[in-house]
Amino acid sequence: SSDLSCQFNSKQEGARENIMPEISVIVPVYNTEKHLMRCVKSIVDQTYTDFELILVDDGSSDGSPKICDEWTERDCRIHVTHKKNGGASSARNAGLAIAKGKWVFFSDSDDWIDNKALETLYGMVNEYGVSMAIGGIQVVEKNIATNTRSNENIYKLSRENLLDRFFRVNGEPDTHSVCAALIRRDILEDYHFIEGKMNEDVEACYYLARKCEGAVYTSKPVYFYFKNVEGVTNSGFSKKKLDLLDVWDIVQKQVLQYTPEYAYACEMNCKRARFTLLTQMYMNGYDHNDPYMRETKQRLKKEVRASFFDLMRWKMPINRKIALIAFLFVP
């Protein structure tokens, strides 16, 4: 249950100034009233208690702001800030600006974490003396968990390991999320998430990979990602998803400056991003009456076809390669 032994009301301005928590948990909140209580409760019920929870209401128009404010009355570790809508990155930047912890943990407001998540990750960074601990992510569809792991594996990762993992040079799964990671605050001191774009975590994860001298990973699920299958199916492919290409262009420029040895791996990820978007257009559908969307599909198909042999040689799961052949050559 939440900590009700507070000696002050967390809404009082002077109260929070005296708190120097070890961990800052930052949660952007935007119109997630159906899931917000589950998320917050999973955080306040942590076995590790030396943390602050920063809820950033990003201009929600539903009941989320009220829920956030009510939680400040229940637990003095919770701080709420309300701002105009600017997207998840804008909310994360706002949270970072007021975070007081030595370590930072990000969560999305429709997801939740294991009750020992902070204890597990904090123990790992101290035991291994690294600047980041990464936990396993378990996907949940319609409240049914998938990808359940029975055995826990722990790996210490060097900077090279982190970059290999980011670019998936050995066929690793997609790990482009800053959630489920405990990050030393000074690593993020001068960093700002890209605002106004979807898939901004791609650039953030590249930044962390090149800035961290070492990290540790556990396959134990500490973070539960709620995949709203119905919402994805009904919404179809949106133009905003094309932001993925813009973000990879940004990463590609940074790679040439900071890690040129990964230039080819980055180029392959740019090609793979186009294949990913083409797949989403096929699977989720798109507005066939929109000339721009029709042109976009044809352009992506042409670019992916030009990259066909490169992608077939790149380490990808066999089911992805089968999909690649099907989308390009099956009528």
Side-chain angles (χ1 to χ4, degrees):
S1 61
S2 59
D3 182 7
L4 300 178
S5 60
C6 304
Q7 301 300 313
F8 53 84
N9 185 322
S10 63
K11 280 192 172 181
Q12 296 173 351
E13 288 298 322
R16 189 170 176 270
E17 297 299 321
N18 299 321
I19 299 178
M20 296 298 291
E22 193 70 8
I23 299 174
S24 293
V25 180
I26 299 173
V27 179
V29 178
Y30 180 70
N31 290 352
T32 53
E33 62 179 352
K34 292 182 180 179
H35 309 294
L36 183 55
M37 288 287 287
R38 178 178 62 186
C39 174
V40 175
K41 194 171 189 307
S42 75
I43 297 169
V44 301
D45 285 350
Q46 289 295 296
T47 54
Y48 182 87
T49 59
D50 188 11
F51 66 86
E52 65 172 351
L53 170 57
I54 301 174
L55 299 173
V56 184
D57 167 36
D58 191 39
S60 298
S61 58
D62 64 356
S64 298
K66 182 181 178 182
I67 295 173
C68 290
D69 291 336
E70 287 174 348
W71 270 105
T72 65
E73 300 290 342
R74 299 174 61 180
D75 195 316
C76 64
R77 296 171 298 180
I78 299 177
H79 177 71
V80 177
T81 180
H82 300 279
K83 60 181 288 296
K84 292 182 179 180
N85 179 251
S89 289
S90 174
R92 286 174 178 170
N93 288 334
L96 279 173
I98 60 175
K100 294 182 175 295
K102 298 176 184 177
W103 299 86
V104 176
F105 182 92
F106 294 102
S107 175
D108 290 337
S109 57
D110 50 354
D111 302 331
W112 69 96
I113 61 176
D114 181 79
N115 72 320
K116 291 186 177 180
L118 297 184
E119 178 184 339
T120 298
L121 298 177
Y122 186 68
M124 289 169 63
V125 293
N126 283 291
E127 179 180 353
Y128 291 90
V130 292
S131 52
M132 181 168 63
I134 306 165
I137 298 177
Q138 188 161 303
V139 179
V140 180
E141 297 181 5
K142 297 182 179 178
N143 293 319
I144 300 175
T146 61
N147 304 328
T148 303
R149 301 178 180 90
S150 56
N151 298 321
E152 178 184 8
N153 297 307
I154 297 177
Y155 306 100
K156 191 169 182 180
L157 303 169
S158 65
R159 180 172 179 268
E160 182 180 357
N161 294 149
L162 285 168
L163 287 166
D164 285 352
R165 186 171 180 265
F166 171 79
F167 288 111
R168 298 179 281 181
V169 297
N170 298 306
E172 295 89 344
D174 184 351
T175 56
H176 301 153
S177 172
V178 298
C179 297
L182 186 65
I183 308 160
R184 204 174 65 209
R185 178 69 176 87
D186 64 329
I187 298 291
L188 297 165
E189 196 65 43
D190 298 317
Y191 179 75
H192 285 81
F193 286 90
I194 299 173
E195 298 188 14
K197 298 286 185 184
M198 286 183 68
N199 296 292
E200 70 282 0
D201 274 17
V202 172
E203 190 273 341
C205 288
Y206 169 69
Y207 173 86
L208 291 172
R210 72 176 178 83
K211 290 291 286 187
C212 289
E213 290 300 320
V216 61
Y217 166 77
T218 175
S219 62
K220 178 182 179 181
V222 302
Y223 190 93
F224 297 90
Y225 168 71
F226 180 62
K227 187 175 181 180
N228 189 346
V229 181
E230 293 179 358
V232 171
T233 303
N234 292 334
S235 62
F237 186 91
S238 67
K239 293 179 182 178
K240 281 297 291 178
K241 291 185 178 180
L242 295 171
D243 286 350
L244 179 63
L245 302 182
D246 296 332
V247 173
W248 270 110
D249 285 344
I250 293 171
V251 171
Q252 195 165 34
K253 292 176 183 178
Q254 294 179 5
V255 166
L256 294 176
Q257 180 177 358
Y258 299 109
T259 56
E261 65 273 22
Y262 284 91
Y264 176 73
C266 184
E267 180 185 349
M268 288 306 303
N269 276 265
C270 291
K271 292 178 178 180
R272 188 168 176 176
R274 284 163 171 78
F275 172 43
T276 296
L277 293 172
L278 181 63
T279 302
Q280 290 176 356
M281 292 192 80
Y282 273 111
M283 300 299 291
N284 298 333
Y286 61 96
D287 184 0
H288 292 263
N289 296 319
D290 186 339
Y292 177 80
M293 297 302 285
R294 293 200 304 269
E295 292 170 7
T296 295
K297 181 186 174 183
Q298 292 306 313
R299 175 172 59 85
L300 288 173
K301 193 169 184 178
K302 181 179 179 181
E303 291 171 346
V304 172
R305 181 175 279 119
S307 305
F308 175 76
F309 291 107
D310 288 337
L311 288 168
M312 290 298 288
R313 285 191 292 265
W314 187 249
K315 288 187 178 180
M316 291 194 305
I318 187 65
N319 64 327
R320 297 289 288 161
K321 293 186 178 183
I322 292 173
L324 175 61
I325 295 171
F327 291 148
L328 291 184
F329 302 110
V330 177

